[in-house]
Each structure stands twice: as C-alpha cells, then as structure tokens.
Amino acid sequence: MANVTLRSVRKTYPGGFEAIKGVDVDVGDGQFCVLVGPSGCGKSTLLRMVAGLETVTGGEIDIGGRIVNQVEPADRDIAMVFQNYALYPHMSVYNNMAYGLRNRGMAEAEIKSRVEEAARVLELSPMLERKPRQLSGGQRQRVAMGRAIVRQPKVFLFDEPLSNLDAKLRIAMRVEIRKLQRRLNTTSIYVTHDQLEAMTLADILVVMNGGQVEQVGNPLAIYEKPATTFVASFIGAPPMNLMSTRPEEIKSQLGGSASDVGILGIRPEDFVITDQTPAGGVALPLTVEAIERVGAETFVYGSREQEEQRVAATPGELPPGEIIVRIPGTEAPAIGAKIRVAAVRNKLHLFSADGRKRLEA
Amino acid sequence: MVEEEGFRRYVAHIILWIGIAIVAFPVYIAIVASTQDNALIANGQMSLLPGGHFFQTYYQTIFVGTTGSTREPVGNMMLNSLITALLIAVGKIAISIISAYAIVYFRFPFRMPIFWIIFITLMLPVEVRIYPTYKIVADLHMLDSYAGLSLPLIASATATLLFRQFFMTVPDELLEASRIDGAGPFRFFWDTLLPLSRTNMAALFVILFILGWNQYLWPLLITTRDDMQTIQIGIRKMITTSDALTEWPTVMATAVLAMLPPVFVVVVMQKLFVRGLVETEK
C-alpha cells in the first residue's frame, strides 16, 4: 500500500546521453499506472530506476513517503516481473517463489503458506516441483507473477511481461493481471509498447516519448483529447489521421476561429462516407487505394488528391496524403473509386503547427 | 547421419578400424607385457597372448615397487599423482570461477587491464616461465611437497576465460531478480551462478584432471624424493636402469595403471562433460 511519486526524475548516462529528461508522475495508492511509448523512449529505464536497478541522476523517487534514491532494490519493498521472466533455471517453481522470502529470513512455515496461496491463485499448484524449463511460456509468466505476489510488496513493477507470449495468451494474461491487481489492490507500474495493453490496463496512462512525458491521465481522456500529435498517433489503432491544414480548402472549411491551427487530426472511426459536408466539419475527397476487411469492420485506405506537406513524422503515423477510414461491417467502396468522407466538428482534433500543443476550438 | 552405399561404406569402416588398431594395439601390448615373465620379454620372445603373471606383477608393482633406480611402490606414486591432479583441477576451477565472477560482475579500477593480464598469461605456459617459477617455489621451501607440485599450475587463464564467456551468456535479469529478491553478491554467486555452472565445471574438471595427471616436466624438476614422485616420473625412472635389466612387466603394469584414473574420470563424467560442452542450462 503506497503512493509512488516521481519528482523531476532525470537519468543522464556517463557518456552524456539523457535517457530521462525530467519526469513527474504521481501514482496513487492501489492505482495501476502504465508507461507506454515507442522503443527507446525511456519507459523501461524509468521503471528500472523505480526498481533501483538504475541509478537516479536527478530528482526524487518516493515510494510510500520514503525517498528511495539511495535504497537498494531489495529494501525498496517492490517486486518486479521481467520481460523474460528471469526465473532461476535450476530451482523448482516452489523455490523460485520462496527464494526472496528465504533471503529475508522468513520462517519456513510462513513461506510455505504464502507460496501455496500464490500457487493456488495462479493455478500453479500441480507444478510446484517442476523446473522452469518444464513449463510453457504462460506458466513461466505466472511463476514470475507468483514470485512477485508472495513478497506482498508495496509496489509491483512489470517490464513488458506479456511481450513473449502469443497473441491469444497475451489477452488472457492481460485480464488476469488486471483482476489480480484489483484484488490485491497493490500499486502497480507497468511498462509496455502495446497501446492496446496500455488502454485496457491503466488507471493512469503515461505516454512517453524521447525521455519525456507527453501526456498523463485517464486512458479514455487521453484517447479523446490527445495533448500532442505524438499521443494522437500513438494511442489508437489504426492511428489518427493527421494532416496539415495548409491547403486552403481545409482551412476555409474550419472557419475563421481556427486560423492558428497547423495540424488537423481525425480518428479513422470518426469519418463517414457521405456527399454532405457537415456544418463546421471537414469533408475530403479520396481515391480508394486499399481495403482491409477484418470482419466486424473494414479499413479503407485512401489518398487525397493534392500532395501533402509532410507533418512531423512520429512512429505509427501515416505517410502524408494517406487517410484511413474505419467503417463498420464489410460493405466497402471498390478500389479506385472516388469517394468523399466527412467528419463532424466535435470529432476534429486541432494542433499547433509543431504538433506540441492541442488547440480547443 | 548419411547412409553410405556399399563400397564407400566398407572403405570408411576399414579406415576407422585401422585407426582404432593404431591406437589400441600399443595399449594391448602394454597389458599383455605386464602379464608376462620379464626374461621372455628381455629375450625378445614376448607372446602376443596374455601370460600368467598378472596378479604377481600387479601386486609387485602396486605394493612393492621395482628393485632398480626407484624402489617406490607404484601405489604411492598413484596417490601422489592423484592428490596433485585433484589439487590442480579443483584449485584451477575455484580460482578461475572466482576471478571470472569478479571480472564479469564487478566494476573496479583497472578491471580491463587485469583481464588482459590474465589473458596474456595464456602465452606463458609453465615451460616458458619455468626458471622463475622454480626459483620462487624453491625459495618458499615448497620443493618435494604437494603445494609445490600443484600451486604453480593452478592459475589458469583458459578456465577463467571459459567461465567469463559462460557468465556473459547468463541473462542480466537473473542478477537483477536476485538483487530484488535480496540476494547480495555472495548469495547470487552461491545460489545461482554456481548451480548454473555445474556442467561447465564438470567439463573443465575432466580436462584439468587429465592435464594435472599427465604433468611431467614440472614434477620432474621439483621432486627429488622418491616418496613424492608422481607416476609419470616413476615410469621414466623405472625404464632407465644403469646396470640391471629393465623390469618390463612392472613398467608396463605401471603404464596401464597410469592410464586408469583418466579413463575412469572420462567414463564417469562423460555425460556431464558432453552437456557442458554443447549445452548451457537455461
């Protein structure tokens, strides 16, 4: 039971490389915080700094009211689940879970009851005597979770724990982790590059890019009101359509109030195929280039007629001039067809020209 | 395995059999000679079939010794060799696993220079540094002692490098998980690294035991007393006799006995040995 507070946390490597450029995050007691961002954004480094595996070169990390910058990992009262699980290969499942408790000098009877309880919760009871190599990926993952649970720590740290599992198992384990965390009500920090995992797990979502926090908040609030074009294109799949408003056509459609708008964003699902132009909204003529039918919905890839000015390129962003439209069902226009799509005013996301600021119309 | 057809397969088998014969025949001769009467061998009338002196010769060899230049029973020589080889093998493994642990897992001043110094000693086997080493051992009054026989041979760059390579394949997360689990450097070494190194240690033990057992030049230099000589030196001394007949059955019996411990070690540890060479337990 603890809050985790990061106050202008920095990490500069001896070579001068700044991995974390001043991060402020406040995770409340029992909350599930997800750090999400593209690879190399510093999210894992930040997590490892909370764990005590990386030194902190600036700022403060506070766990449960205690500044832990100089505290050894073992004394921070945290437990960590690693991406490759880091199970001790020569120890049985039981000993993997018991090891940390033994090192703390806990009585063997207490260890036994804790491990058996964790094994029961994680459905590992029949395999307590097995070695990690005799387990499947999902079972190993659960052992890694068990090792964290038995410690009954103040904070759980997860470093991309599901990325080594196949897609189906990943979804199942994602739900498991969320249920478990709710039940134990332990403050958790979870690192992932998968925005879907981030959206579904988080109480608080922290979107990171280039060692900085782009946006912190409730996942749906971030989805609905992304603060920057980076967040807009990173959260949501397929990504938000971003286009420069330089073509006067669009600018005039937006009206005079949006004269300083540089970038216009529209989520694929907010488009409708129609010949009408909604009042205050935007309509675009498109040539259909590709169709993806996934069953419940269909993605239409279209290109705009005039060549686009290139908008700040960020991971997950579309090439200039390309627009994705998401329509329900399987009915779709033919490839090569000329269509018109439109979005209403309150579904438009407006950003300053550098993409760093959201503008409210 | 590719199945070869007819003629080619026979050729291959014949070549293999010739190879086996080349290796095995001298061993067979040694065994046969050790069971025959010395006078027959000296006359050049040695039979290729085993003689009837097996028990007598081996009893004489192990418990009594020859009547010539060294009168030490071979049993004692084997004990000396065994102690020396064990000290060398165990000592080398202990020293090198600890130094590899230091080099891989700790940051300390001059870490890389120290690593390179260890690496460079690969180029300095006993034969090259034999005079200074002898001088040091003599000054420390370690001539004719197990310490003198084993200590100078214990430091091992090869084994250190092998463990270093192995440690570098151990995932960092294991160390990090140990740190979070409250295991300090000593516990991580003892509880995690040592068990993981088991197969590597077994493989090294086989190699190093045989290396220690087969030492010749170094024991030759520093042992002068008969009761401290190793079996390899003993054989050499038995063959050279100034005025008497070489006791060939005893010499051959000694040679056969000298072969047994390495064979025993290889056979017993073969499984671990192969696993240590081909697989890392992860």
Side-chain angles (χ1 to χ4, degrees), chain B residues 213-227:
Chain B
W213 182 268
N214 287 339
Q215 280 299 320
Y216 178 71
L217 182 62
W218 182 248
L220 181 68
L221 273 178
I222 76 148
T223 54
T224 49
R225 276 171 25 210
D226 272 1
D227 65 333

